[in-house]
Amino acid sequence: MENLKNRLKTARLARGWSQDELARASGVSRSGISAIEIERLVPSAAAALRLAKVFDCRVEDLFSLDDDGPSAPAWATSPQGACRYWQAEVDGRLLAYPADTFGDITTAHDGMFDGTSMHPAEQFAAERTLVMACCDPAVGLLAEELARHANVRLLILSRSSSQALELLRNRQVHVAGVHLSHAAEDGNATAIEETLGRTAQYKLLRAARWEEGLAITPDRRMNSIRSVLAARLRWIGREAGSGAHQCLTEIRRDRTPPKHNAHSHRGVAETIRSGLADVGVCLRLVSEQAGLNFLSVREEAYDLCFAADQMHDPRIAALVEAIRSPGYRKLLSELPGYSAVDAGGLQSVGATSTERPFSSSNS
């Protein structure tokens, strides 16, 4: 059967409109616009005419017939040659994620890419897949909770806080994990507004509080940060834009940065455990798992950021429910250095909002 291809998404983004704004202007529901954009729904003649009127164009400029079969998903990030891939619906687009963008692989892939063409396999529903960019080493617990109770698959991209926010800004992920402030401060709202601006509104979901500090090789018996800084130790750093890099900079102040960087909390611990470095910044959980000594530096707020207009997406609703569930909060609180004391609280950030405290997780 002939397939209807559309350029609705391109036209909408060219105007800088959200799906909600287009829905209000055209009278077509937001869910209908989303379904049309990912080619899951053929618009009625009336809907097509209303949309064309909004854009002051012909219907043919938005929609055309195509005999080449269903369109392949667009790449969220460019693949480096042949690879496995996953796919998900993000902001009305069907996106593919090459395997090399992931951290630990814990779920079956949706297809193979041979360097030229995609070859789909048995696929999990794209609209039931939630994509999160974060550096939380315990995020697998959240993935299990979402799969077990909501039938939502969580795809995890291993990224620093700043990298995760950039992916969120580009609507390449649903959620960005962020830890760029002390837990005692205003949370991550200020850092997020500096990165994303105030023209769009976002929500922050408190995921946890955790301890970040210095992981030290066990053969170095040191009990203070001052003694660590005074000793001649080999440091392993973290990439700029990560919470660990921020913490490391505060500790070392104007000292010369480490020559080499790791790209995850576990990367820091493994570098020290392998004998290639003596000290570095990571989470208590990772340090203890690696059998290293740990000096706590600060407690941090770890938040999950997502676009406010996605609040009613069933996957986001499932995420909020999962983090607020007693079972998950209990598991989280039993991890070394983690606290679930205010997990599940929500805060608005960005356009028309003020930096107000998190609402109760019970609200």
Side-chain angles (χ1 to χ4, degrees):
M1 187 174 82
E2 291 179 320
N3 296 282
L4 189 69
K5 298 202 68 174
N6 71 75
R7 288 165 287 280
L8 183 60
K9 178 76 171 182
T10 301
R12 178 173 64 79
L13 291 179
R15 297 288 183 95
W17 291 346
S18 68
Q19 290 182 338
D20 283 330
E21 289 171 327
L22 179 55
R24 288 194 294 270
S26 66
V28 178
S29 70
R30 184 197 176 283
S31 60
I33 288 171
S34 175
I36 291 170
E37 288 187 346
I38 64 173
E39 300 179 14
R40 196 170 65 221
L41 175 68
V42 175
S44 66
L49 288 168
R50 285 199 295 267
L51 290 166
K53 182 177 180 180
V54 167
F55 290 107
D56 192 23
C57 67
R58 302 174 304 163
V59 170
E60 296 93 321
D61 293 330
L62 292 177
F63 306 102
S64 61
L65 292 174
D66 177 54
D67 298 321
D68 296 332
S71 60
W75 289 108
T77 58
S78 299
Q80 303 299 312
C83 63
R84 295 166 294 139
Y85 69 86
W86 289 259
Q87 62 183 43
E89 180 271 318
V90 181
D91 193 34
R93 295 177 298 163
L94 186 61
L95 299 180
Y97 298 83
D100 59 5
T101 66
F102 282 70
D104 296 331
I105 302 304
T106 58
T107 187
H109 49 275
D110 295 327
M112 294 292 298
F113 177 63
D114 62 13
T116 303
S117 303
M118 291 180 173
H119 303 281
E122 184 175 349
Q123 299 172 359
F124 193 89
E127 65 272 15
R128 301 294 299 175
T129 299
L130 181 71
V131 186
M132 178 185 298
C134 71
C135 66
D136 181 8
V139 70
L141 293 177
L142 183 56
E144 290 182 1
E145 184 77 14
L146 285 167
R148 184 166 56 248
H149 295 294
N151 192 31
V152 169
R153 178 178 67 171
L154 182 62
L155 296 184
I156 305 153
L157 279 64
S158 180
R159 295 291 190 275
S160 69
S161 295
S162 294
Q163 291 170 339
L165 287 173
E166 189 62 29
L167 289 171
L168 181 66
R169 183 214 299 274
N170 295 332
R171 298 283 180 145
Q172 293 169 285
V173 298
H174 299 100
V175 182
V178 185
H179 66 109
L180 292 171
S181 74
H182 297 274
E185 296 175 353
D186 65 350
N188 293 292
T190 299
I192 287 170
E193 289 186 346
E194 288 174 354
T195 302
L196 301 179
R198 294 184 59 91
T199 58
Q201 189 172 27
Y202 294 88
K203 294 286 188 180
L204 294 187
L205 173 65
R206 177 58 49 82
R209 295 171 182 250
W210 59 29
E211 281 186 78
E212 189 160 53
L214 296 179
I216 309 167
T217 182
D219 59 0
R220 298 280 188 166
R221 299 187 179 280
M222 297 180 175
N223 56 14
S224 71
I225 295 173
R226 177 174 295 182
S227 64
V228 171
L229 292 173
R232 295 177 62 84
L233 301 177
R234 296 168 300 166
W235 288 75
I236 179 68
R238 282 293 308 276
E239 74 276 23
S242 64
H245 175 83
Q246 181 191 74
C247 183
L248 182 68
T249 301
E250 291 178 5
I251 294 169
R252 290 172 57 85
R253 303 196 179 206
D254 56 355
R255 290 176 170 82
T256 303
K259 292 182 179 180
H260 303 289
N261 292 329
H263 295 285
S264 69
H265 295 287
R266 287 200 172 98
V268 169
E270 287 302 316
T271 302
I272 298 170
R273 189 165 70 168
S274 67
L276 298 176
D278 300 311
V279 60
V281 171
C282 68
L283 301 185
R284 176 183 287 277
L285 170 67
V286 173
S287 179
E288 290 194 8
Q289 285 179 330
L292 306 175
N293 293 340
F294 183 80
L295 288 176
S296 182
V297 173
R298 67 187 195 184
E299 184 185 58
E300 295 177 333
Y302 171 54
D303 297 327
L304 302 180
C305 181
F306 56 88
D309 62 10
Q310 302 296 304
M311 185 68 192
H312 299 295
D313 186 307
R315 294 163 294 187
I316 296 295
L319 175 68
V320 175
E321 183 177 350
I323 289 180
R324 290 180 174 180
S325 68
Y328 176 74
R329 287 162 60 93
K330 181 175 184 296
L331 280 175
L332 200 67
S333 65
E334 292 171 345
L335 297 177
Y338 277 67
S339 169
V341 63
D342 52 0
L346 279 169
Q347 181 181 18
S348 294
V349 177
T352 72
S353 69
T354 57
E355 294 177 9
R356 52 185 177 274
F358 277 81
S359 62
S360 169
S361 62
N362 297 318
S363 62

